[in-house]
């Protein structure tokens, strides 16, 4: 693994992830129960999605270890009094959990280090890459994508440290 990647990312840090598609950086957001016109089930907040008008949310990347070409992290949203941790639902969707015990780490697979940050794949603890599924219709009128490790178009991400 590149020594510059190790020096900048093989440590705990606070940062933002963006879905990198068609030459642009699409911010990540948390879902809200009023995002859809009709969910077909009782909606919940805090599924990780890509799209919208606001900047990506800030996340803490708690460095766990490294593999031959992967960096392992526990990912959370800073908060009081407890921290929301990134996990995967039974259907493969990414979401932040308050109370569920999230013990599995996430893998960052570095692809290219640039002046903007680290282009990478985000993988779950099994090594499955995160894909994007269009979430339509979306109440906001914006293009929004659900993130999933079992389905969807595999996407790359831009990881930008903020500290």
């Amino acid at each position: 693994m590149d020594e510059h990647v190790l020096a900048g990312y093989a440590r705990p840090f606070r940062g933002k992830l963006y879905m990198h598609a068609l030459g642009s950086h699409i911010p990540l957001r948390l879902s809200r129960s009023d995002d859809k016109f009709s969910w077909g089930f009782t909606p919940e907040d805090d599924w990780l999605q890509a799209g919208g008008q606001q900047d990506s949310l800030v996340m803490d990347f708690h460095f766990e270890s490294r593999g031959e070409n992967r960096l392992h992290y526990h990912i959370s949203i800073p908060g009081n009094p407890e921290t929301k941790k990134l996990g995967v639902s039974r259907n493969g969707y990414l979401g932040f959990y308050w109370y569920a015990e999230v013990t599995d780490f996430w893998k960052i697979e570095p692809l290219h280090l640039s002046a903007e940050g680290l282009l990478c794949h985000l993988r779950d603890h099994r090594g499955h890459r995160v894909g994007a599924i269009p979430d339509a219709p979306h109440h906001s009128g914006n293009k929004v994508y659900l993130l999933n490790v079992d389905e969807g178009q595999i996407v790359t991400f831009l990881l930008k440290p903020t500290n």
Side-chain angles (χ1 to χ4, degrees):
M1 190 175 307
D2 182 273
E3 64 186 63
H4 292 62
V5 170
L6 289 174
Y9 295 89
R11 61 180 179 80
F13 63 91
R14 189 164 278 178
K16 295 180 180 185
L17 271 172
Y18 298 84
M19 188 171 84
H20 180 74
L22 303 172
S24 65
H25 306 308
I26 301 167
L28 299 191
R29 66 184 297 275
L30 296 178
S31 70
R32 294 286 155 237
S33 57
D34 60 358
D35 280 344
K36 298 283 280 180
F37 294 110
S38 173
W39 286 79
F41 57 90
T42 303
E44 295 183 27
D45 293 340
D46 300 335
W47 295 109
L48 189 61
Q49 300 177 325
Q53 300 300 316
Q54 297 180 337
D55 196 12
S56 278
L57 64 154
V58 173
M59 294 180 256
D60 284 335
F61 291 79
H62 308 275
F63 183 71
E64 179 74 24
S65 61
R66 67 177 260 221
E68 185 175 326
N69 57 359
R70 311 271 194 278
L71 299 170
H72 306 155
Y73 301 92
H74 290 280
I75 302 172
S76 64
I77 297 176
N80 279 324
E82 296 189 32
T83 302
K84 292 182 181 183
K85 297 176 185 173
L86 184 60
V88 178
S89 74
R90 286 176 287 187
N91 297 337
Y93 292 96
L94 280 64
F96 282 91
Y97 295 87
W98 281 106
Y99 303 110
E101 186 167 324
V102 178
T103 58
D104 297 322
F105 57 78
W106 289 88
K107 298 178 179 184
I108 298 288
E109 176 188 359
L111 300 173
H112 174 72
L113 185 59
S114 73
E116 292 182 284
L118 181 65
L119 284 173
C120 59
H121 282 128
L122 179 60
R123 295 175 178 263
D124 70 4
H125 69 283
R126 301 169 299 172
H128 296 178
R129 290 184 290 180
V130 172
I133 303 167
D135 183 23
H138 194 271
H139 182 69
S140 69
N142 295 315
K143 283 193 173 190
V144 175
Y145 301 87
L146 302 168
L147 300 177
N148 191 296
V149 292
D150 295 328
E151 304 178 37
Q153 176 78 33
I154 302 301
V155 292
T156 58
F157 292 88
L158 175 69
L159 176 55
K160 296 173 80 168
T162 59
N163 63 350

